[in-house]
Amino acid sequence: MRELEHSHRPEDIRHRLESGRRTSYLRDAILGGIDGCVTTFAVVASVAGAGLPGLIAFSLGLSSLIADGFSMGVSNYQGVKSDRDAVEQARATENSHIREVPDGEREEIRQIFARKGFEGDVLEEIVETISADESLWVETMLREEHGLDLEGAEPLRAALWTFGAFVIVGAIPLLPFMLPLVGVDVAFAVSSVLTAITFFGIGFVKGVILGDGHWRAGIETLFMGGGAAVIAYLVGGIFEPMMTEMGLAISG
């Protein structure tokens, strides 16, 4: 018999339920890490494709890393905050409905649990128990009627996880360009390998944390992130020479 993820003894179950569900910021970190790596690799690819010095690749990549990382963190903050605001707005609406039309709200509870298979006296006891506690009543409506997550992420923490992962992971493709004696072509080749390893590592770690197939998750993330990096490289290779020629034409 395989080892279960947690104990099912009554006291352990009680403690686990009383402690509440732990909010995970894994999604925010993975999103920031992959996007940061792709962003800086795109800059490195376009600069290397244009044959410019490695110092320029590092400078442009670093500035893009900080600016885009901050922008992504702010965007994630606003997105998570919008979800929290939606919960609070729905909570206020349900509080108002319970006070103004309690019979209608009881009927909603009745139909919600009837759809779960409860009926007769058991169903009526559930309705009476829930509607006797206004806080429980509201939370039940938010979860069952609106399908809302009442224990969502904190906006600031989500933003910091995204920004931190973006900057830390996004800095990896820039590392070879910090070495002054390494040519641009060699630095770009090393950067490409590091980027691929990073994508695989992100997926592998995600698999370990979730207790899922970590090798499969690593390969999956490698292909998805690598595909985005290849697209960034191709786009940079196409447009960077065009921009260079335009700049030379204007300056000439």
Side-chain angles (χ1 to χ4, degrees), residues 96-173:
S96 174
H97 288 178
I98 286 173
R99 294 188 179 103
E100 295 177 8
V101 282
D103 291 339
E105 291 296 310
R106 286 191 185 91
E107 180 60 25
E108 289 184 355
I109 290 290
R110 182 175 291 107
Q111 293 196 25
I112 286 171
F113 283 90
R115 292 171 64 89
K116 296 179 182 291
F118 297 97
E119 57 185 17
D121 293 339
V122 174
L123 176 60
E124 294 306 316
E125 186 175 348
I126 291 173
V127 173
E128 289 303 316
T129 300
I130 292 177
S131 59
D133 185 335
E134 186 171 319
S135 177
L136 174 62
W137 194 352
V138 171
E139 290 192 0
T140 301
M141 297 304 297
L142 293 178
R143 287 193 173 96
E144 300 292 341
E145 182 183 14
H146 299 279
L148 295 173
D149 182 5
L150 306 186
E151 300 172 343
E154 291 287 340
L156 183 57
R157 287 188 179 182
L160 291 175
W161 272 98
T162 299
F163 175 75
F166 191 103
V167 171
I168 293 171
V169 179
I172 293 175

Side-chain angles (χ1 to χ4, degrees), residues 43-57 177 183-185 236-237 240-241 244:
V43 174
V44 164
S46 61
V47 172
L52 299 175
L55 182 60
I56 294 179
F177 294 90
V184 174
D185 292 339
E240 186 63 33
T244 303

Side-chain angles (χ1 to χ4, degrees), residues 5 14 23 25 65 88 91 143 150 177 179 197 208:
E5 289 78 7
R14 187 182 308 110
T23 301
Y25 294 94
L65 184 66
E88 293 309 312
R91 186 187 301 277
R143 287 193 173 96
L150 306 186
F177 294 90
L179 304 175
I197 294 173
V208 170

Side-chain angles (χ1 to χ4, degrees), residues 177-197:
F177 294 90
M178 297 176 62
L179 304 175
L181 301 179
V182 177
V184 174
D185 292 339
V186 174
F188 177 66
V190 175
S191 178
S192 301
V193 173
L194 289 177
T195 299
I197 294 173

Side-chain angles (χ1 to χ4, degrees), residues 24-36:
S24 173
Y25 294 94
L26 180 62
R27 170 191 171 276
D28 306 280
I30 290 176
L31 182 65
I34 291 178
D35 200 55

